[in-house]
Amino acid sequence: MFDPSPAPPPGCPAHGLGPDGLRRLYGPEADADPIALYERLRSEHGAVAPVLLPGDREAWLVLGHRENLEVSRTPSLFSRDSRLWRDMQEGKVPPTHPLAPLTMWQPLCVFAEGEEHERLRRAVTESLARFEARGIRRYVTRFAHQLIDEFEPKGRADLVEQFADQLPLRVITQLFGMPEHHGPRLIEAAKDMIRGSETAVASNDYITEALQDLVDRKRASPGHDVASKLIEHPARLTNDEVREHLRVVLVSANEPTVNLIANTLRLVLTDQRFRATLAGGHMTLPDALEQVLWDEPPMTTNIGRWATGDAQLAGKTIKAGDMLLLGLAAGNADPQIRPDKSTPMHGNRSHLAFSGGPHECPGQDLGRAIVDTGIDTLLTRIPDLRLAVPEEHLKWETALMSRRLVALPVEFAARRTNTTGRQGPGVPSVELPPLQPQEPASVPMPPVAPPPVHTSWWTRLKRKLRGW
């Protein structure tokens, strides 16, 4: 039968190909199945492939595991300084371009190299290190219980919208010393900016304004929080540097952590082998997270690196000023290091989920603590979680740098909870004090009243699996 609708002309985004035949990393083809697109590019070009970004800006996508490490570990050849980008120099990426929030040079560690990078990154890592992991995990536990309280009596929930989407930023805003009411708007703005959408610039502006307000308040009245520690750091950061590094932590610790929570919970609920490995004691939850970081890294690509001069990479000639994207998901699936994707990678942390080299993600330890503690709290409170829809009905939303699960609907036996987030007769509510920095003279945090004794979720899961 004749189809009256005309075929899209060559170069139209619906084709997935640009005028010169380069594949687009945006549009319908990329959105439908980015992983399949990466493999198609690998078969066509090898470990490094020419691609098009929004606005048909040309770039190289690094697909090989070894090549990803080579690029990330060689800043003398492939720098994070976006001012080297030829398209930026030629005015082809104006401030209103969707890529601008991710590529416009700013005075922060992710765009710096050498001594300046070390100075700025040290301020970030040392300010985060001032807070005890135990204290951070207590806040994760508290906020996780608050979120669970909202849906536990109903016997159903969407674990993306009602849990994974909410938990990381609640913890991060607490660490920053921000009012909790900033959370919902910041969540949406951070997601939109990573998406590289048409409103990414406006979302970036909102994040900037909220963080600038925080910096102004902490300059006037410092406290025990990351913002104040950045201001007080011996690196003597300017207001702009403090604000922008808070934004780096917010973005790098939030979106990947949301995706990692959702991806891990989906595997627990849908993958029999994964559940059996956990329940059989062959894998701990931290080990399980590492497996997910191999199979479904929370960020699929990382923007970007810029060639400092002409260079050769996997047989391709990279010209000075070219942009490169680290293909984190593609590198993890490189058949040179994983010929059999079904083989577990127990204890192997050589995945690319957090990139590598001097610009390796500074928020990864914070993210791991949030995911590990948050999921453990959820599965301890509700060990009988089950998927409420067929697995094939689950949907993903794809962006340039990530692939995020849209929803994870679950069912379970409804439970009566009280205001402390515990079942049955309550435990007196205890308000946690502000997080205390790790200083020799600091006063230890007071203990939190213990919850009623629960059988561990590992034991409950084992028992449940025996009946499946």
Side-chain angles (χ1 to χ4, degrees):
M1 179 181 292
F2 173 71
D3 184 356
S5 58
C12 172
H15 260 309
L17 297 175
D20 296 328
L22 299 184
R23 294 196 180 275
R24 291 184 167 100
L25 287 189
Y26 69 101
E29 181 184 15
D31 292 348
D33 193 343
I35 306 303
L37 176 58
Y38 302 153
E39 293 309 311
R40 189 175 300 119
L41 286 165
R42 197 195 310 273
S43 67
E44 293 171 352
H45 300 281
V48 179
V51 295
L52 295 175
L53 304 183
D56 279 355
R57 297 296 96 217
E58 293 184 5
W60 297 95
L61 176 63
V62 186
L63 300 161
H65 187 276
R66 182 179 65 81
E67 288 75 15
N68 267 280
L69 291 177
E70 181 178 348
V71 171
S72 63
R73 292 174 177 175
T74 319
S76 60
L77 296 177
F78 307 106
S79 172
R80 281 287 295 154
D81 189 342
S82 63
R83 292 173 295 186
L84 296 168
W85 191 12
R86 189 170 52 255
D87 284 358
M88 187 78 76
Q89 294 173 353
E90 295 174 356
K92 296 177 180 178
V93 187
T96 55
H97 193 283
L99 291 176
L102 301 171
T103 59
M104 197 71 71
W105 185 89
Q106 297 172 69
L108 64 161
C109 63
V110 296
F111 289 114
E113 299 291 3
E115 292 183 1
E116 182 65 1
H117 170 257
E118 292 178 10
R119 178 183 77 90
L120 296 172
R121 185 178 174 94
R122 189 181 304 116
V124 173
T125 56
E126 290 181 358
S127 295
L128 286 172
R130 297 285 295 278
F131 301 94
E132 296 180 359
R134 182 179 64 175
I136 292 173
R137 290 177 183 274
R138 285 182 176 180
Y139 274 94
V140 177
T141 302
R142 181 180 113 182
F143 290 128
H145 279 304
Q146 289 178 1
L147 292 169
I148 297 167
D149 286 346
E150 296 175 8
F151 57 75
E152 189 179 37
K154 301 174 183 177
R156 63 185 183 279
D158 173 5
L159 293 182
V160 172
E161 180 182 359
Q162 296 175 266
F163 192 75
D165 251 359
Q166 306 297 323
L167 183 59
L169 210 51
R170 291 197 185 197
V171 176
I172 294 167
T173 53
Q174 183 75 41
L175 284 172
F176 281 12
M178 299 182 76
E180 290 188 18
H181 68 263
H182 276 297
R185 282 288 304 279
L186 281 172
I187 290 171
E188 293 306 314
K191 283 163 43 179
D192 189 54
M193 192 177 71
I194 289 291
R195 213 177 277 131
S197 71
E198 294 300 321
T199 56
V201 174
S203 294
N204 180 62
D205 290 343
Y206 172 76
I207 293 173
T208 300
E209 291 170 7
L211 294 177
Q212 184 60 56
D213 175 69
L214 174 65
V215 173
D216 292 342
R217 288 190 294 104
K218 293 302 177 181
R219 284 268 185 208
S221 180
H224 293 307
D225 49 66
V226 175
S228 298
K229 298 310 170 189
L230 276 174
I231 292 171
E232 298 167 0
H233 194 273
R236 301 179 64 84
L237 304 187
T238 66
N239 277 0
D240 285 353
E241 288 174 336
V242 172
R243 181 193 67 229
E244 292 307 315
H245 285 90
L246 288 171
R247 188 165 75 102
V248 167
V249 175
L250 185 149
V251 174
S252 65
N254 180 61
E255 179 74 6
T257 306
V258 169
N259 292 344
L260 184 54
I261 292 173
N263 292 344
T264 305
L265 287 172
R266 182 187 69 81
L267 279 175
V268 168
L269 293 167
T270 63
D271 191 317
Q272 291 280 357
R273 186 190 64 177
F274 192 80
R275 285 202 305 268
T277 304
L278 278 174
H282 302 296
M283 182 189 293
T284 65
L285 184 53
D287 288 338
L289 298 184
E290 297 305 318
Q291 184 67 46
V292 175
L293 289 167
W294 271 104
D295 296 337
E296 296 187 64
M299 305 302 291
T300 53
T301 66
N302 179 257
I303 295 178
R305 299 295 193 277
W306 290 272
T308 60
D310 292 356
Q312 291 290 314
L313 183 66
K316 304 295 193 299
T317 299
I318 312 297
K319 295 290 187 180
D322 282 359
M323 177 199 268
L324 299 92
L325 277 74
L326 299 180
L328 308 180
N332 278 357
D334 187 347
Q336 294 296 319
I337 62 163
R338 293 187 72 187
D340 181 1
K341 303 300 187 299
S342 65
T343 301
M345 305 296 284
H346 294 173
N348 189 330
R349 284 198 171 194
S350 60
H351 55 73
L352 303 171
F354 299 115
S355 187
H359 290 279
E360 188 173 14
C361 176
Q364 58 180 287
D365 291 336
L366 173 60
R368 279 190 174 99
I370 294 172
V371 177
D372 183 8
T373 307
I375 291 179
D376 187 61
T377 302
L378 173 65
L379 296 178
T380 298
R381 282 277 299 270
I382 311 179
D384 58 334
L385 284 173
R386 58 188 178 276
L387 198 61
V389 299
E391 182 182 354
E392 57 270 21
H393 289 185
L394 297 177
K395 297 180 179 179
W396 280 260
E397 181 181 78
T398 302
L400 180 60
M401 294 173 61
S402 66
R403 182 173 182 257
R404 111 190 311 261
L405 191 61
V406 174
L408 188 62
V410 295
E411 299 172 333
F412 47 89
R415 295 168 175 81
R416 179 175 61 85
T417 62
N418 58 32
T419 57
T420 64
R422 307 292 190 266
Q423 300 175 37
V427 174
S429 177
V430 176
E431 282 298 316
L432 293 179
L435 283 173
Q436 298 297 318
Q438 289 190 36
E439 297 173 343
S442 63
V443 178
M445 295 176 64
V448 180
V453 175
H454 290 288
T455 304
S456 76
W457 76 268
W458 303 101
T459 302
R460 297 187 185 192
L461 188 56
K462 291 178 187 177
R463 291 173 181 171
K464 191 168 183 61
L465 280 170
R466 295 190 188 106
W468 284 346

